[in-house]
Amino acid sequence: MSNEVFTDHYSVVLNRAPFEWSIDEGRLRFFGIPSALLWLNPSLLKILRPLADEIGIPLFRLLVAHSGSFGTAEDYHDVVLSLGSTFEEGLLAWGEVISTIGWGRLELPFCDVQRRKAIVRIRNPWELDMQRGQPVNWGCPFLQGKIIGLFTHAFGVPCWADEQNLVIDGEETSVEFHVYESNRTIESEIAVLREARERERQQRLLDEIAAKTLELQKANEERLRLQEEIIEMQARTVAELSTPLIPLNKRVLLMPLIGAFDSQRTQLTVDRLLHGVAEYRASVVILDITGVPIVDTHVASALMQAAQAVRLLGAEVVLTGIRPEVAQTLVGMGVSLQGIVTRGTLQSGIEYASGVQ
């Protein structure tokens, strides 16, 4: 029988970094803090890629860098200062710790605390390893946030870190951060970018509103044009219906005039009358004004205009439907009906025209 003893709790210290596993709890702790082990690709990549695509890489980078800067005060005071006699030694010791958890191998090619400048190189950073082979990459904003936070605490002034010399292809990946004193902060950069995105959004809205307004304006203009065409068509139809041209026989035309007259209708009446006389080769045209409610100067002038035009084509004009009050009006206005045959009723006018043929 075996005397082997099984346990559900394991712990180990690697590069001064403590790990604890509780199999029963299903937990991993790093420096006593609950942690989790995930594949870079596909697990982490599939979590982060949709966010980068949704909000855009510039804002995504700043938000990740901002998150990466959290906890750098503890990293600086509890790890960097405690593990090295100088800042450079402590930072490299912190690099040993992060290499243990797969963040990459930290190197410090240059550091001048007095001038507040440094170059930090990380070989095989987890962010670049995660993005290897991807068509679009966003670099190492998480590590950038860590470096900015650590050097801000170390130099005692706000610092910024430019991400340079990215190497993504090949067997080994690497990134460099050039650190220097700066008034730029991750928070201020996020604010500037958000303001720019908001201006762009508002401009897009304004452009969309302007385009929609122009579209509606054009649609309204087209609607008004169609409406005017319909009104004009209706007016022509009404005018034509109120000034019908009726052939009584091969040589006699009848045009009963109904309703009020204006300049447009007068011109239409003359045009229809002339075309009718020419088409039918009429010798007599009967103009019946029984349906004209008011005969004023304008109407009388229109009648004379129509009669004169018809006579120029060689046809005779017979004016019927002259009521007593209309006769008095014409006399009172001094209208001369010379050359026009007048009859009181349409029937008598038709009888006259029949005799002329």
Side-chain angles (χ1 to χ4, degrees):
M1 178 179 294
S2 173
N3 293 323
E4 185 177 355
V5 178
F6 294 92
T7 179
D8 68 349
H9 190 85
Y10 301 88
S11 62
V12 65
V13 177
L14 299 174
N15 286 335
R16 292 180 282 193
F19 295 84
E20 298 177 62
W21 291 269
S22 177
I23 307 302
D24 183 56
E25 295 179 359
R27 286 177 173 169
L28 163 65
R29 288 181 174 85
F30 176 62
F31 278 98
I33 300 174
S35 307
L37 181 65
L38 295 173
W39 283 308
L40 295 178
N41 188 349
S43 299
L44 274 177
L45 181 64
K46 288 187 177 296
I47 292 172
L48 298 177
R49 170 114 266 164
L51 299 177
D53 293 340
E54 180 69 22
I55 66 175
I57 288 179
L59 181 58
F60 174 79
R61 277 185 52 86
L62 287 171
L63 292 175
V64 172
H66 189 248
S67 298
S69 67
F70 293 154
T72 51
E74 292 80 0
D75 287 342
Y76 176 72
H77 292 290
D78 298 341
V79 180
V80 174
L81 292 183
S82 65
L83 297 182
S85 58
T86 65
F87 168 68
E88 291 90 337
E89 289 182 3
L91 183 66
L92 291 173
W94 179 82
E96 293 290 333
V97 172
I98 67 170
S99 68
T100 306
I101 56 175
W103 283 14
R105 187 69 181 177
L106 185 143
E107 300 173 354
L108 190 63
F110 172 77
C111 183
D112 188 331
V113 177
Q114 298 298 322
R115 295 170 57 194
R116 300 185 180 96
K117 290 184 178 181
I119 297 177
V120 178
R121 182 183 300 122
I122 300 178
R123 292 188 292 110
N124 301 317
W126 70 270
E127 290 173 282
L128 292 189
D129 279 352
M130 176 185 65
Q131 300 168 71
R132 189 194 299 269
Q134 296 298 305
V136 178
N137 295 277
W138 57 77
C140 301
F142 178 81
L143 291 172
Q144 181 188 30
K146 287 293 183 186
I147 297 301
I148 289 174
L150 286 173
F151 278 87
T152 294
H153 290 293
F155 291 167
V157 294
C159 292
W160 189 258
D162 291 330
E163 186 176 311
Q164 300 182 6
N165 301 327
L166 287 173
V167 178
I168 298 178
D169 298 327
E171 183 176 345
E172 186 173 270
T173 60
S174 67
V175 62
E176 278 188 5
F177 296 103
H178 291 226
V179 185
Y180 53 92
E181 180 181 354
S182 174
N183 291 327
R184 295 172 65 186
T185 65
I186 299 175
E187 292 84 354
S188 65
E189 293 294 305
I190 291 175
V192 169
L193 183 57
R194 280 177 169 163
E195 288 178 4
R197 286 165 62 92
E198 178 61 20
R199 286 195 300 270
E200 291 176 0
R201 186 188 70 82
Q202 292 179 358
Q203 187 59 50
R204 284 197 303 270
L205 288 176
L206 291 175
D207 292 342
E208 291 175 2
I209 292 173
K212 190 63 176 178
T213 301
L214 181 59
E215 180 183 343
L216 292 175
Q217 182 179 353
K218 290 182 177 179
N220 189 51
E221 290 175 354
E222 180 65 14
R223 181 183 63 81
L224 291 176
R225 186 186 66 80
L226 292 175
Q227 185 177 4
E228 290 175 356
E229 288 183 359
I230 292 172
I231 293 174
E232 183 179 351
M233 186 184 303
Q234 290 174 338
R236 286 199 305 267
T237 302
V238 170
E240 290 175 0
L241 291 176
S242 61
T243 54
L245 189 61
I246 305 169
L248 299 181
N249 53 47
K250 293 181 179 180
R251 306 293 289 175
V252 179
L253 295 177
L254 167 63
M255 178 177 279
L257 304 179
I258 303 171
F261 276 78
D262 55 20
S263 58
Q264 183 177 1
R265 187 179 175 195
T266 298
Q267 186 61 46
L268 179 62
T269 300
V270 173
D271 291 344
R272 284 179 56 79
L273 199 54
L274 295 179
H275 282 91
V277 171
E279 180 181 355
Y280 291 99
R281 297 181 180 178
S283 58
V284 180
V285 175
I286 302 174
L287 294 178
D288 182 64
I289 63 171
T290 305
V292 180
I294 299 175
V295 178
D296 53 15
T297 305
H298 178 75
V299 174
S301 176
L303 292 174
M304 293 304 298
Q305 181 182 354
Q308 292 171 1
V310 170
R311 290 174 62 191
L312 289 175
L313 293 179
E316 185 177 3
V317 177
V318 179
L319 186 61
T320 65
I322 301 178
R323 302 183 300 276
E325 64 273 17
V326 173
Q328 291 179 359
T329 300
L330 294 176
V331 172
M333 290 188 299
V335 176
S336 174
L337 298 179
Q338 184 179 1
I340 300 177
V341 177
T342 60
R343 292 291 185 270
T345 64
L346 175 59
Q347 182 63 36
S348 61
I350 294 175
E351 291 175 354
Y352 173 80
S354 298
V356 171
Q357 295 182 80

